Amino acid sequence: MNDCIFCKIIKKEIPASVVYEDEEILAFDDIRPQAPVHTLIIPKIHLASLKEASPEQAALLGKILIQAREIARLKGIDATGYRVVLNTGPDSGQEVLHIHFHLLGGRRLGWPPG
Amino acid sequence: MNDCIFCKIIKKEIPASVVYEDEEILAFDDIRPQAPVHTLIIPKIHLASLKEASPEQAALLGKILIQAREIARLKGIDATGYRVVLNTGPDSGQEVLHIHFHLLGGRRLGWPPG
């Protein structure tokens, strides 16, 4: 997608603080962090949200979750704990229409989750 | 796990308001809802948290996300939007040590997510 900011980050047209990258996944720190650790994990394929995901993409989505766990380990919040958040649609506040998982940790996270 | 409350719900030893069930996944409404829609989606296999998930379980985790999307449709929050939350470890407030995804919607969800 030409006008997608996350696709531009994937193509290195916009800088980002990259935490992890492989053929399918990119992870980078959120520019408006809500916790000491706040990293976004996205698929490189453009997918607007969970609503557009096909059942065939389940393995990719699950791989992102497994990678979130690995990033939590890298960031040193493996023992203290962390929250993974996936927003979909207006009520969730999803701003960028390229599916992204938020990994948050490094502080006590409240309940409800928003 | 004999003493796991979610395993007991899976075995129908404890009642729950079941929303969806198949061979691998069970979904039921949270008894302490934090939004008009608040459903928990769990794998039937006992897995304490994302920390214990193996890369081979990525497809199962992704299938749970795809199912969350389907439950959002069933619950009528597909257009208004929803948030999926996965807590891991103490800072997240994870209470039951059987991995569970929270699906929340039916109201505007705030930011930060806890």
Side-chain angles (χ1 to χ4, degrees), chain A residues 11-112:
Chain A
K11 289 187 278 180
K12 316 290 183 200
E13 292 173 9
I14 292 178
S17 176
V18 172
V19 173
Y20 173 83
E21 181 166 14
D22 64 26
E23 299 75 26
E24 293 180 293
I25 295 170
L26 185 72
F28 51 95
D29 289 328
D30 197 301
I31 55 167
R32 276 175 280 175
Q34 304 297 319
V37 171
H38 187 172
T39 300
L40 302 181
I41 310 151
I42 67 172
K44 286 191 172 177
I45 189 169
H46 181 82
L47 188 66
S49 78
L50 185 59
K51 284 174 72 171
E52 286 75 22
S54 71
E56 290 70 35
Q57 289 168 318
L60 173 61
L61 298 176
K63 202 180 150 191
I64 291 174
L65 291 173
I66 295 288
Q67 199 52 50
R69 183 261 306 277
E70 296 306 313
I71 293 165
R73 206 172 279 172
L74 275 170
K75 293 273 192 178
I77 55 168
D78 189 46
T80 46
Y82 47 91
R83 178 170 292 167
V84 177
V85 176
L86 176 60
N87 289 326
T88 307
D91 270 353
S92 73
Q94 183 185 6
E95 283 178 358
V96 178
L97 288 177
H98 182 130
I99 191 170
H100 50 288
F101 291 71
H102 297 263
L103 169 68
L104 299 113
R107 66 167 171 84
R108 178 77 192 182
L109 297 157
W111 200 250

Side-chain angles (χ1 to χ4, degrees), chain A residues 80 82-83 87 90-91 108, chain B residues 80 82-83 87-88 90-91 108:
Chain A
T80 46
Y82 47 91
R83 178 170 292 167
N87 289 326
D91 270 353
R108 178 77 192 182
Chain B
T80 47
Y82 47 91
R83 179 170 291 167
N87 290 324
T88 306
D91 270 354
R108 179 77 191 180

Side-chain angles (χ1 to χ4, degrees), chain B:
Chain B
M1 290 277 285
N2 284 337
D3 56 349
C4 169
I5 188 169
F6 286 175
C7 284
K8 286 181 181 175
I9 288 175
I10 291 164
K11 289 187 277 179
K12 315 294 183 198
E13 292 173 7
I14 292 177
S17 176
V18 172
V19 173
Y20 174 81
E21 181 167 14
D22 65 24
E23 299 75 28
E24 292 181 294
I25 294 170
L26 185 72
F28 52 95
D29 289 327
D30 197 301
I31 54 167
R32 277 176 278 175
Q34 304 295 321
V37 172
H38 187 171
T39 300
L40 302 180
I41 309 151
I42 66 172
K44 287 191 171 178
I45 191 170
H46 182 82
L47 190 65
S49 78
L50 185 59
K51 284 174 72 171
E52 285 76 22
S54 71
E56 290 69 34
Q57 288 168 319
L60 172 61
L61 297 176
K63 202 180 149 193
I64 290 173
L65 291 173
I66 295 289
Q67 198 52 52
R69 182 263 304 279
E70 295 307 313
I71 292 165
R73 206 171 278 171
L74 274 171
K75 294 272 191 179
I77 54 168
D78 189 46
T80 47
Y82 47 91
R83 179 170 291 167
V84 177
V85 176
L86 177 60
N87 290 324
T88 306
D91 270 354
S92 73
Q94 183 185 6
E95 283 178 356
V96 177
L97 287 176
H98 182 129
I99 191 170
H100 51 287
F101 292 71
H102 297 262
L103 168 69
L104 299 113
R107 65 167 172 82
R108 179 77 191 180
L109 297 156
W111 201 249

